[in-house]
mmCIF file of all heavy atoms in Angstrom:
data_model
loop_
_atom_site.group_PDB
_atom_site.id
_atom_site.type_symbol
_atom_site.label_atom_id
_atom_site.label_comp_id
_atom_site.label_asym_id
_atom_site.label_seq_id
_atom_site.Cartn_x
_atom_site.Cartn_y
_atom_site.Cartn_z
ATOM 1 N N GLN A 1 0.039 9.496 -8.218
ATOM 2 C CA GLN A 1 -0.578 8.950 -9.430
ATOM 3 C C GLN A 1 0.305 9.277 -10.632
ATOM 4 O O GLN A 1 0.970 10.308 -10.673
ATOM 5 C CB GLN A 1 -1.966 9.554 -9.635
ATOM 6 C CG GLN A 1 -2.926 9.241 -8.519
ATOM 7 C CD GLN A 1 -4.227 10.010 -8.632
ATOM 8 O OE1 GLN A 1 -4.474 10.708 -9.608
ATOM 9 N NE2 GLN A 1 -5.074 9.864 -7.639
ATOM 10 N N PHE A 2 0.283 8.349 -11.581
ATOM 11 C CA PHE A 2 0.980 8.599 -12.843
ATOM 12 C C PHE A 2 0.158 9.575 -13.678
ATOM 13 O O PHE A 2 -0.999 9.866 -13.366
ATOM 14 C CB PHE A 2 1.189 7.285 -13.600
ATOM 15 C CG PHE A 2 2.150 6.344 -12.913
ATOM 16 C CD1 PHE A 2 1.688 5.177 -12.327
ATOM 17 C CD2 PHE A 2 3.507 6.619 -12.861
ATOM 18 C CE1 PHE A 2 2.560 4.297 -11.699
ATOM 19 C CE2 PHE A 2 4.392 5.752 -12.239
ATOM 20 C CZ PHE A 2 3.914 4.590 -11.647
ATOM 21 N N LYS A 3 0.736 10.054 -14.756
ATOM 22 C CA LYS A 3 0.043 11.022 -15.616
ATOM 23 C C LYS A 3 -1.272 10.495 -16.162
ATOM 24 O O LYS A 3 -2.193 11.254 -16.394
ATOM 25 C CB LYS A 3 0.944 11.456 -16.769
ATOM 26 C CG LYS A 3 2.095 12.316 -16.322
ATOM 27 C CD LYS A 3 2.954 12.747 -17.484
ATOM 28 C CE LYS A 3 4.116 13.586 -16.964
ATOM 29 N NZ LYS A 3 4.999 14.036 -18.041
ATOM 30 N N ASP A 4 -1.347 9.178 -16.361
ATOM 31 C CA ASP A 4 -2.589 8.589 -16.886
ATOM 32 C C ASP A 4 -3.640 8.349 -15.799
ATOM 33 O O ASP A 4 -4.713 7.836 -16.057
ATOM 34 C CB ASP A 4 -2.302 7.290 -17.635
ATOM 35 C CG ASP A 4 -1.787 6.177 -16.728
ATOM 36 O OD1 ASP A 4 -1.631 6.389 -15.499
ATOM 37 O OD2 ASP A 4 -1.542 5.070 -17.258
ATOM 38 N N GLY A 5 -3.324 8.722 -14.551
ATOM 39 C CA GLY A 5 -4.263 8.577 -13.449
ATOM 40 C C GLY A 5 -4.144 7.271 -12.688
ATOM 41 O O GLY A 5 -4.801 7.086 -11.666
ATOM 42 N N SER A 6 -3.315 6.366 -13.164
ATOM 43 C CA SER A 6 -3.126 5.105 -12.455
ATOM 44 C C SER A 6 -2.289 5.340 -11.188
ATOM 45 O O SER A 6 -1.600 6.353 -11.054
ATOM 46 C CB SER A 6 -2.471 4.060 -13.355
ATOM 47 O OG SER A 6 -1.176 4.476 -13.749
ATOM 48 N N ILE A 7 -2.358 4.400 -10.291
ATOM 49 C CA ILE A 7 -1.737 4.544 -8.972
ATOM 50 C C ILE A 7 -0.252 4.198 -9.027
ATOM 51 O O ILE A 7 0.132 3.165 -9.562
ATOM 52 C CB ILE A 7 -2.431 3.627 -7.950
ATOM 53 C CG1 ILE A 7 -3.914 3.965 -7.856
ATOM 54 C CG2 ILE A 7 -1.763 3.717 -6.585
ATOM 55 C CD1 ILE A 7 -4.733 2.919 -7.126
ATOM 56 N N ASN A 8 0.551 5.056 -8.457
ATOM 57 C CA ASN A 8 1.969 4.749 -8.278
ATOM 58 C C ASN A 8 2.100 4.099 -6.900
ATOM 59 O O ASN A 8 2.213 4.772 -5.873
ATOM 60 C CB ASN A 8 2.815 6.021 -8.367
ATOM 61 C CG ASN A 8 4.294 5.724 -8.287
ATOM 62 O OD1 ASN A 8 4.722 4.708 -7.743
ATOM 63 N ND2 ASN A 8 5.100 6.627 -8.823
ATOM 64 N N TRP A 9 2.019 2.775 -6.876
ATOM 65 C CA TRP A 9 2.003 2.036 -5.606
ATOM 66 C C TRP A 9 3.287 2.231 -4.806
ATOM 67 O O TRP A 9 3.270 2.149 -3.576
ATOM 68 C CB TRP A 9 1.738 0.557 -5.872
ATOM 69 C CG TRP A 9 0.311 0.300 -6.236
ATOM 70 C CD1 TRP A 9 -0.190 0.009 -7.472
ATOM 71 C CD2 TRP A 9 -0.823 0.327 -5.354
ATOM 72 N NE1 TRP A 9 -1.557 -0.145 -7.413
ATOM 73 C CE2 TRP A 9 -1.976 0.040 -6.119
ATOM 74 C CE3 TRP A 9 -0.983 0.569 -3.990
ATOM 75 C CZ2 TRP A 9 -3.251 -0.020 -5.575
ATOM 76 C CZ3 TRP A 9 -2.258 0.509 -3.447
ATOM 77 C CH2 TRP A 9 -3.371 0.224 -4.230
ATOM 78 N N ASN A 10 4.405 2.521 -5.473
ATOM 79 C CA ASN A 10 5.646 2.767 -4.734
ATOM 80 C C ASN A 10 5.522 4.013 -3.862
ATOM 81 O O ASN A 10 6.009 4.035 -2.724
ATOM 82 C CB ASN A 10 6.831 2.901 -5.692
ATOM 83 C CG ASN A 10 7.189 1.596 -6.350
ATOM 84 O OD1 ASN A 10 7.027 0.521 -5.766
ATOM 85 N ND2 ASN A 10 7.660 1.670 -7.573
ATOM 86 N N PHE A 11 4.889 5.043 -4.390
ATOM 87 C CA PHE A 11 4.704 6.271 -3.614
ATOM 88 C C PHE A 11 3.683 6.065 -2.494
ATOM 89 O O PHE A 11 3.854 6.582 -1.386
ATOM 90 C CB PHE A 11 4.267 7.424 -4.515
ATOM 91 C CG PHE A 11 5.369 7.992 -5.380
ATOM 92 C CD1 PHE A 11 6.584 7.359 -5.528
ATOM 93 C CD2 PHE A 11 5.169 9.179 -6.051
ATOM 94 C CE1 PHE A 11 7.592 7.892 -6.327
ATOM 95 C CE2 PHE A 11 6.162 9.729 -6.851
ATOM 96 C CZ PHE A 11 7.373 9.082 -6.989
ATOM 97 N N VAL A 12 2.619 5.319 -2.787
ATOM 98 C CA VAL A 12 1.622 5.009 -1.759
ATOM 99 C C VAL A 12 2.295 4.217 -0.633
ATOM 100 O O VAL A 12 2.082 4.481 0.553
ATOM 101 C CB VAL A 12 0.437 4.221 -2.359
ATOM 102 C CG1 VAL A 12 -0.508 3.735 -1.266
ATOM 103 C CG2 VAL A 12 -0.318 5.084 -3.363
ATOM 104 N N ASP A 13 3.134 3.274 -1.014
ATOM 105 C CA ASP A 13 3.890 2.481 -0.036
ATOM 106 C C ASP A 13 4.734 3.394 0.848
ATOM 107 O O ASP A 13 4.701 3.291 2.082
ATOM 108 C CB ASP A 13 4.766 1.478 -0.777
ATOM 109 C CG ASP A 13 5.682 0.672 0.129
ATOM 110 O OD1 ASP A 13 5.510 0.697 1.366
ATOM 111 O OD2 ASP A 13 6.581 0.001 -0.396
ATOM 112 N N ALA A 14 5.473 4.287 0.232
ATOM 113 C CA ALA A 14 6.351 5.181 0.996
ATOM 114 C C ALA A 14 5.558 6.043 1.981
ATOM 115 O O ALA A 14 5.945 6.176 3.152
ATOM 116 C CB ALA A 14 7.149 6.070 0.048
ATOM 117 N N ASP A 15 4.453 6.620 1.501
ATOM 118 C CA ASP A 15 3.642 7.469 2.369
ATOM 119 C C ASP A 15 3.051 6.691 3.542
ATOM 120 O O ASP A 15 3.103 7.137 4.689
ATOM 121 C CB ASP A 15 2.505 8.126 1.585
ATOM 122 C CG ASP A 15 2.977 9.238 0.671
ATOM 123 O OD1 ASP A 15 4.174 9.582 0.694
ATOM 124 O OD2 ASP A 15 2.132 9.770 -0.086
ATOM 125 N N THR A 16 2.484 5.540 3.240
ATOM 126 C CA THR A 16 1.817 4.784 4.302
ATOM 127 C C THR A 16 2.814 4.144 5.260
ATOM 128 O O THR A 16 2.546 4.057 6.458
ATOM 129 C CB THR A 16 0.861 3.721 3.736
ATOM 130 O OG1 THR A 16 1.557 2.872 2.829
ATOM 131 C CG2 THR A 16 -0.305 4.381 3.025
ATOM 132 N N TYR A 17 3.960 3.717 4.745
ATOM 133 C CA TYR A 17 4.976 3.149 5.638
ATOM 134 C C TYR A 17 5.443 4.214 6.621
ATOM 135 O O TYR A 17 5.545 3.955 7.826
ATOM 136 C CB TYR A 17 6.158 2.588 4.849
ATOM 137 C CG TYR A 17 7.134 1.830 5.726
ATOM 138 C CD1 TYR A 17 6.892 0.504 6.046
ATOM 139 C CD2 TYR A 17 8.264 2.439 6.247
ATOM 140 C CE1 TYR A 17 7.749 -0.202 6.870
ATOM 141 C CE2 TYR A 17 9.132 1.752 7.064
ATOM 142 C CZ TYR A 17 8.871 0.430 7.374
ATOM 143 O OH TYR A 17 9.735 -0.261 8.198
ATOM 144 N N HIS A 18 5.687 5.394 6.102
ATOM 145 C CA HIS A 18 6.138 6.492 6.964
ATOM 146 C C HIS A 18 5.119 6.797 8.063
ATOM 147 O O HIS A 18 5.478 7.024 9.218
ATOM 148 C CB HIS A 18 6.384 7.737 6.108
ATOM 149 C CG HIS A 18 6.820 8.920 6.904
ATOM 150 N ND1 HIS A 18 5.942 9.859 7.374
ATOM 151 C CD2 HIS A 18 8.043 9.299 7.327
ATOM 152 C CE1 HIS A 18 6.602 10.779 8.048
ATOM 153 N NE2 HIS A 18 7.880 10.469 8.033
ATOM 154 N N ASP A 19 3.838 6.780 7.696
ATOM 155 C CA ASP A 19 2.785 7.146 8.644
ATOM 156 C C ASP A 19 2.383 6.023 9.592
ATOM 157 O O ASP A 19 1.932 6.303 10.704
ATOM 158 C CB ASP A 19 1.532 7.615 7.889
ATOM 159 C CG ASP A 19 1.750 8.922 7.151
ATOM 160 O OD1 ASP A 19 2.704 9.660 7.488
ATOM 161 O OD2 ASP A 19 0.958 9.207 6.230
ATOM 162 N N CYS A 20 2.507 4.762 9.166
ATOM 163 C CA CYS A 20 1.871 3.678 9.919
ATOM 164 C C CYS A 20 2.787 2.548 10.392
ATOM 165 O O CYS A 20 2.339 1.710 11.183
ATOM 166 C CB CYS A 20 0.766 3.048 9.068
ATOM 167 S SG CYS A 20 -0.559 4.167 8.645
ATOM 168 N N HIS A 21 4.024 2.486 9.937
ATOM 169 C CA HIS A 21 4.821 1.297 10.251
ATOM 170 C C HIS A 21 5.026 1.075 11.746
ATOM 171 O O HIS A 21 5.151 -0.055 12.198
ATOM 172 C CB HIS A 21 6.159 1.314 9.511
ATOM 173 C CG HIS A 21 7.202 2.186 10.132
ATOM 174 N ND1 HIS A 21 7.228 3.552 9.964
ATOM 175 C CD2 HIS A 21 8.232 1.870 10.936
ATOM 176 C CE1 HIS A 21 8.253 4.037 10.635
ATOM 177 N NE2 HIS A 21 8.883 3.051 11.233
ATOM 178 N N LYS A 22 5.024 2.118 12.529
ATOM 179 C CA LYS A 22 5.245 1.974 13.970
ATOM 180 C C LYS A 22 4.058 1.327 14.688
ATOM 181 O O LYS A 22 4.186 0.890 15.823
ATOM 182 C CB LYS A 22 5.557 3.327 14.595
ATOM 183 C CG LYS A 22 6.894 3.869 14.160
ATOM 184 C CD LYS A 22 7.186 5.197 14.805
ATOM 185 C CE LYS A 22 8.533 5.701 14.299
ATOM 186 N NZ LYS A 22 8.863 7.010 14.849
ATOM 187 N N LEU A 23 2.911 1.254 14.014
ATOM 188 C CA LEU A 23 1.737 0.617 14.603
ATOM 189 C C LEU A 23 1.841 -0.909 14.567
ATOM 190 O O LEU A 23 1.109 -1.591 15.276
ATOM 191 C CB LEU A 23 0.465 1.050 13.863
ATOM 192 C CG LEU A 23 0.164 2.545 13.828
ATOM 193 C CD1 LEU A 23 -1.029 2.823 12.929
ATOM 194 C CD2 LEU A 23 -0.086 3.060 15.237
ATOM 195 N N PHE A 24 2.751 -1.434 13.752
ATOM 196 C CA PHE A 24 2.896 -2.871 13.568
ATOM 197 C C PHE A 24 4.147 -3.368 14.288
ATOM 198 O O PHE A 24 5.090 -2.616 14.485
ATOM 199 C CB PHE A 24 2.977 -3.199 12.076
ATOM 200 C CG PHE A 24 1.687 -2.920 11.348
ATOM 201 C CD1 PHE A 24 1.386 -1.647 10.897
ATOM 202 C CD2 PHE A 24 0.765 -3.926 11.136
ATOM 203 C CE1 PHE A 24 0.194 -1.379 10.244
ATOM 204 C CE2 PHE A 24 -0.430 -3.675 10.489
ATOM 205 C CZ PHE A 24 -0.713 -2.402 10.040
ATOM 206 N N LYS A 25 4.143 -4.654 14.639
ATOM 207 C CA LYS A 25 5.276 -5.199 15.398
ATOM 208 C C LYS A 25 6.556 -5.274 14.576
ATOM 209 O O LYS A 25 7.648 -5.192 15.122
ATOM 210 C CB LYS A 25 4.941 -6.566 16.002
ATOM 211 C CG LYS A 25 4.769 -7.682 15.017
ATOM 212 C CD LYS A 25 4.494 -8.996 15.720
ATOM 213 C CE LYS A 25 4.392 -10.120 14.705
ATOM 214 N NZ LYS A 25 4.241 -11.406 15.337
ATOM 215 N N ASP A 26 6.412 -5.424 13.237
ATOM 216 C CA ASP A 26 7.580 -5.450 12.367
ATOM 217 C C ASP A 26 7.153 -5.146 10.935
ATOM 218 O O ASP A 26 5.959 -5.052 10.635
ATOM 219 C CB ASP A 26 8.321 -6.790 12.448
ATOM 220 C CG ASP A 26 7.430 -7.992 12.165
ATOM 221 O OD1 ASP A 26 6.482 -7.875 11.372
ATOM 222 O OD2 ASP A 26 7.700 -9.069 12.741
ATOM 223 N N SER A 27 8.137 -5.018 10.062
ATOM 224 C CA SER A 27 7.848 -4.688 8.659
ATOM 225 C C SER A 27 7.089 -5.804 7.961
ATOM 226 O O SER A 27 6.249 -5.545 7.099
ATOM 227 C CB SER A 27 9.149 -4.406 7.899
ATOM 228 O OG SER A 27 9.725 -3.212 8.351
ATOM 229 N N GLU A 28 7.368 -7.034 8.302
ATOM 230 C CA GLU A 28 6.680 -8.160 7.672
ATOM 231 C C GLU A 28 5.181 -8.103 7.945
ATOM 232 O O GLU A 28 4.364 -8.271 7.034
ATOM 233 C CB GLU A 28 7.245 -9.481 8.179
ATOM 234 C CG GLU A 28 6.629 -10.697 7.526
ATOM 235 C CD GLU A 28 7.232 -12.000 8.013
ATOM 236 O OE1 GLU A 28 8.339 -11.994 8.585
ATOM 237 O OE2 GLU A 28 6.573 -13.035 7.818
ATOM 238 N N THR A 29 4.812 -7.828 9.183
ATOM 239 C CA THR A 29 3.395 -7.714 9.544
ATOM 240 C C THR A 29 2.755 -6.526 8.849
ATOM 241 O O THR A 29 1.623 -6.605 8.367
ATOM 242 C CB THR A 29 3.249 -7.589 11.068
ATOM 243 O OG1 THR A 29 3.937 -8.669 11.689
ATOM 244 C CG2 THR A 29 1.804 -7.620 11.488
ATOM 245 N N PHE A 30 3.482 -5.424 8.774
ATOM 246 C CA PHE A 30 2.982 -4.241 8.067
ATOM 247 C C PHE A 30 2.675 -4.586 6.616
ATOM 248 O O PHE A 30 1.590 -4.292 6.108
ATOM 249 C CB PHE A 30 4.005 -3.097 8.127
ATOM 250 C CG PHE A 30 3.664 -1.944 7.227
ATOM 251 C CD1 PHE A 30 2.771 -0.968 7.639
ATOM 252 C CD2 PHE A 30 4.223 -1.841 5.960
ATOM 253 C CE1 PHE A 30 2.440 0.092 6.800
ATOM 254 C CE2 PHE A 30 3.901 -0.791 5.119
ATOM 255 C CZ PHE A 30 3.006 0.182 5.543
ATOM 256 N N TYR A 31 3.628 -5.228 5.936
ATOM 257 C CA TYR A 31 3.444 -5.507 4.517
ATOM 258 C C TYR A 31 2.410 -6.596 4.239
ATOM 259 O O TYR A 31 1.783 -6.591 3.179
ATOM 260 C CB TYR A 31 4.776 -5.797 3.826
ATOM 261 C CG TYR A 31 5.500 -4.507 3.526
ATOM 262 C CD1 TYR A 31 6.664 -4.161 4.198
ATOM 263 C CD2 TYR A 31 4.990 -3.608 2.601
ATOM 264 C CE1 TYR A 31 7.307 -2.961 3.941
ATOM 265 C CE2 TYR A 31 5.619 -2.395 2.341
ATOM 266 C CZ TYR A 31 6.779 -2.086 3.005
ATOM 267 O OH TYR A 31 7.395 -0.894 2.754
ATOM 268 N N GLU A 32 2.193 -7.496 5.160
ATOM 269 C CA GLU A 32 1.101 -8.462 4.996
ATOM 270 C C GLU A 32 -0.238 -7.712 4.946
ATOM 271 O O GLU A 32 -1.062 -7.951 4.062
ATOM 272 C CB GLU A 32 1.086 -9.472 6.135
ATOM 273 C CG GLU A 32 2.182 -10.511 6.056
ATOM 274 C CD GLU A 32 2.217 -11.415 7.274
ATOM 275 O OE1 GLU A 32 1.327 -11.329 8.149
ATOM 276 O OE2 GLU A 32 3.165 -12.217 7.355
ATOM 277 N N ALA A 33 -0.429 -6.805 5.891
ATOM 278 C CA ALA A 33 -1.660 -6.012 5.926
ATOM 279 C C ALA A 33 -1.727 -5.088 4.716
ATOM 280 O O ALA A 33 -2.784 -4.941 4.088
ATOM 281 C CB ALA A 33 -1.730 -5.201 7.224
ATOM 282 N N TRP A 34 -0.604 -4.469 4.371
ATOM 283 C CA TRP A 34 -0.560 -3.523 3.247
ATOM 284 C C TRP A 34 -0.973 -4.205 1.953
ATOM 285 O O TRP A 34 -1.791 -3.689 1.198
ATOM 286 C CB TRP A 34 0.847 -2.937 3.134
ATOM 287 C CG TRP A 34 0.928 -1.739 2.237
ATOM 288 C CD1 TRP A 34 0.822 -0.437 2.589
ATOM 289 C CD2 TRP A 34 1.135 -1.740 0.808
ATOM 290 N NE1 TRP A 34 0.945 0.371 1.487
ATOM 291 C CE2 TRP A 34 1.141 -0.410 0.381
ATOM 292 C CE3 TRP A 34 1.312 -2.744 -0.133
ATOM 293 C CZ2 TRP A 34 1.320 -0.048 -0.940
ATOM 294 C CZ3 TRP A 34 1.483 -2.380 -1.460
ATOM 295 C CH2 TRP A 34 1.487 -1.040 -1.848
ATOM 296 N N HIS A 35 -0.429 -5.386 1.699
ATOM 297 C CA HIS A 35 -0.757 -6.105 0.458
ATOM 298 C C HIS A 35 -2.210 -6.571 0.444
ATOM 299 O O HIS A 35 -2.855 -6.539 -0.610
ATOM 300 C CB HIS A 35 0.205 -7.279 0.245
ATOM 301 C CG HIS A 35 1.564 -6.843 -0.186
ATOM 302 N ND1 HIS A 35 1.830 -6.329 -1.430
ATOM 303 C CD2 HIS A 35 2.747 -6.823 0.480
ATOM 304 C CE1 HIS A 35 3.112 -6.010 -1.514
ATOM 305 N NE2 HIS A 35 3.694 -6.311 -0.367
ATOM 306 N N ASP A 36 -2.724 -7.000 1.584
ATOM 307 C CA ASP A 36 -4.141 -7.379 1.656
ATOM 308 C C ASP A 36 -5.042 -6.210 1.273
ATOM 309 O O ASP A 36 -5.981 -6.355 0.490
ATOM 310 C CB ASP A 36 -4.513 -7.863 3.063
ATOM 311 C CG ASP A 36 -3.967 -9.235 3.392
ATOM 312 O OD1 ASP A 36 -3.565 -9.971 2.459
ATOM 313 O OD2 ASP A 36 -3.939 -9.573 4.588
ATOM 314 N N ILE A 37 -4.735 -5.052 1.822
ATOM 315 C CA ILE A 37 -5.542 -3.859 1.540
ATOM 316 C C ILE A 37 -5.355 -3.413 0.091
ATOM 317 O O ILE A 37 -6.324 -3.056 -0.588
ATOM 318 C CB ILE A 37 -5.195 -2.726 2.530
ATOM 319 C CG1 ILE A 37 -5.581 -3.144 3.949
ATOM 320 C CG2 ILE A 37 -5.886 -1.424 2.127
ATOM 321 C CD1 ILE A 37 -4.993 -2.267 5.036
ATOM 322 N N ALA A 38 -4.127 -3.451 -0.403
ATOM 323 C CA ALA A 38 -3.864 -3.057 -1.790
ATOM 324 C C ALA A 38 -4.629 -3.957 -2.759
ATOM 325 O O ALA A 38 -5.218 -3.466 -3.732
ATOM 326 C CB ALA A 38 -2.367 -3.108 -2.086
ATOM 327 N N ASN A 39 -4.666 -5.243 -2.486
ATOM 328 C CA ASN A 39 -5.428 -6.172 -3.338
ATOM 329 C C ASN A 39 -6.919 -5.861 -3.300
ATOM 330 O O ASN A 39 -7.604 -5.914 -4.322
ATOM 331 C CB ASN A 39 -5.167 -7.620 -2.925
ATOM 332 C CG ASN A 39 -3.772 -8.074 -3.277
ATOM 333 O OD1 ASN A 39 -3.139 -7.561 -4.188
ATOM 334 N ND2 ASN A 39 -3.271 -9.052 -2.539
ATOM 335 N N LYS A 40 -7.420 -5.527 -2.119
ATOM 336 C CA LYS A 40 -8.830 -5.167 -1.962
ATOM 337 C C LYS A 40 -9.149 -3.910 -2.776
ATOM 338 O O LYS A 40 -10.146 -3.855 -3.495
ATOM 339 C CB LYS A 40 -9.132 -4.945 -0.486
ATOM 340 C CG LYS A 40 -10.516 -4.430 -0.187
ATOM 341 C CD LYS A 40 -10.665 -4.141 1.303
ATOM 342 C CE LYS A 40 -11.937 -3.381 1.592
ATOM 343 N NZ LYS A 40 -12.059 -3.043 3.012
ATOM 344 N N ILE A 41 -8.289 -2.913 -2.682
ATOM 345 C CA ILE A 41 -8.502 -1.661 -3.402
ATOM 346 C C ILE A 41 -8.406 -1.892 -4.905
ATOM 347 O O ILE A 41 -9.213 -1.373 -5.676
ATOM 348 C CB ILE A 41 -7.508 -0.586 -2.918
ATOM 349 C CG1 ILE A 41 -7.832 -0.193 -1.465
ATOM 350 C CG2 ILE A 41 -7.528 0.637 -3.834
ATOM 351 C CD1 ILE A 41 -6.786 0.680 -0.798
ATOM 352 N N GLU A 42 -7.431 -2.669 -5.343
ATOM 353 C CA GLU A 42 -7.294 -2.992 -6.768
ATOM 354 C C GLU A 42 -8.551 -3.675 -7.288
ATOM 355 O O GLU A 42 -9.014 -3.379 -8.392
ATOM 356 C CB GLU A 42 -6.086 -3.898 -7.006
ATOM 357 C CG GLU A 42 -4.787 -3.163 -7.146
ATOM 358 C CD GLU A 42 -4.655 -2.441 -8.474
ATOM 359 O OE1 GLU A 42 -5.182 -2.908 -9.508
ATOM 360 O OE2 GLU A 42 -4.019 -1.381 -8.485
ATOM 361 N N ALA A 43 -9.111 -4.589 -6.496
ATOM 362 C CA ALA A 43 -10.335 -5.289 -6.906
ATOM 363 C C ALA A 43 -11.509 -4.319 -7.015
ATOM 364 O O ALA A 43 -12.369 -4.483 -7.884
ATOM 365 C CB ALA A 43 -10.663 -6.409 -5.921
ATOM 366 N N GLU A 44 -11.545 -3.308 -6.169
ATOM 367 C CA GLU A 44 -12.599 -2.298 -6.245
ATOM 368 C C GLU A 44 -12.441 -1.436 -7.501
ATOM 369 O O GLU A 44 -13.421 -1.084 -8.152
ATOM 370 C CB GLU A 44 -12.567 -1.387 -5.022
ATOM 371 C CG GLU A 44 -12.989 -2.060 -3.741
ATOM 372 C CD GLU A 44 -12.761 -1.174 -2.524
ATOM 373 O OE1 GLU A 44 -12.366 0.006 -2.681
ATOM 374 O OE2 GLU A 44 -12.959 -1.668 -1.403
ATOM 375 N N ILE A 45 -11.208 -1.109 -7.816
ATOM 376 C CA ILE A 45 -10.928 -0.241 -8.956
ATOM 377 C C ILE A 45 -11.122 -0.995 -10.270
ATOM 378 O O ILE A 45 -11.663 -0.458 -11.228
ATOM 379 C CB ILE A 45 -9.482 0.313 -8.875
ATOM 380 C CG1 ILE A 45 -9.368 1.248 -7.664
ATOM 381 C CG2 ILE A 45 -9.091 1.029 -10.153
ATOM 382 C CD1 ILE A 45 -7.945 1.663 -7.348
ATOM 383 N N ASN A 46 -10.679 -2.234 -10.300
ATOM 384 C CA ASN A 46 -10.728 -3.058 -11.509
ATOM 385 C C ASN A 46 -11.478 -4.346 -11.218
ATOM 386 O O ASN A 46 -10.868 -5.415 -11.120
ATOM 387 C CB ASN A 46 -9.313 -3.391 -11.996
ATOM 388 C CG ASN A 46 -8.507 -2.161 -12.294
ATOM 389 O OD1 ASN A 46 -8.964 -1.276 -12.992
ATOM 390 N ND2 ASN A 46 -7.308 -2.094 -11.761
ATOM 391 N N PRO A 47 -12.792 -4.268 -11.078
ATOM 392 C CA PRO A 47 -13.545 -5.485 -10.736
ATOM 393 C C PRO A 47 -13.474 -6.521 -11.851
ATOM 394 O O PRO A 47 -13.454 -6.185 -13.033
ATOM 395 C CB PRO A 47 -14.976 -4.985 -10.546
ATOM 396 C CG PRO A 47 -15.034 -3.704 -11.291
ATOM 397 C CD PRO A 47 -13.652 -3.127 -11.278
ATOM 398 N N VAL A 48 -13.406 -7.767 -11.433
ATOM 399 C CA VAL A 48 -13.390 -8.873 -12.376
ATOM 400 C C VAL A 48 -14.792 -9.473 -12.402
ATOM 401 O O VAL A 48 -15.336 -9.847 -11.369
ATOM 402 C CB VAL A 48 -12.369 -9.951 -11.957
ATOM 403 C CG1 VAL A 48 -12.426 -11.136 -12.898
ATOM 404 C CG2 VAL A 48 -10.975 -9.361 -11.892
#
């Protein structure tokens, strides 16, 4: 997290890629799922 409490998505990406990328057939599939989940979480944090 940044000092203001907002999410540093680059660090979240690095952590989750390290832990989970081997579960997916390739990086493209990993990032499709990653972006879907990130969008879901962003919508929860900042509802429109």
Side-chain angles (χ1 to χ4, degrees):
Q1 298 172 6
F2 293 110
K3 290 181 181 180
D4 66 359
S6 63
I7 301 167
N8 184 336
W9 286 106
N10 290 328
F11 286 12
V12 172
D13 175 12
D15 287 355
T16 55
Y17 188 83
H18 179 266
D19 293 341
C20 298
H21 79 280
K22 292 181 181 178
L23 301 173
F24 293 84
K25 68 178 183 175
D26 55 32
S27 291
E28 183 178 342
T29 307
F30 170 83
Y31 280 111
E32 286 174 6
W34 193 93
H35 286 289
D36 287 343
I37 296 166
N39 289 335
K40 174 185 169 183
I41 292 170
E42 275 286 328
E44 290 172 5
I45 294 170
N46 301 310
V48 176

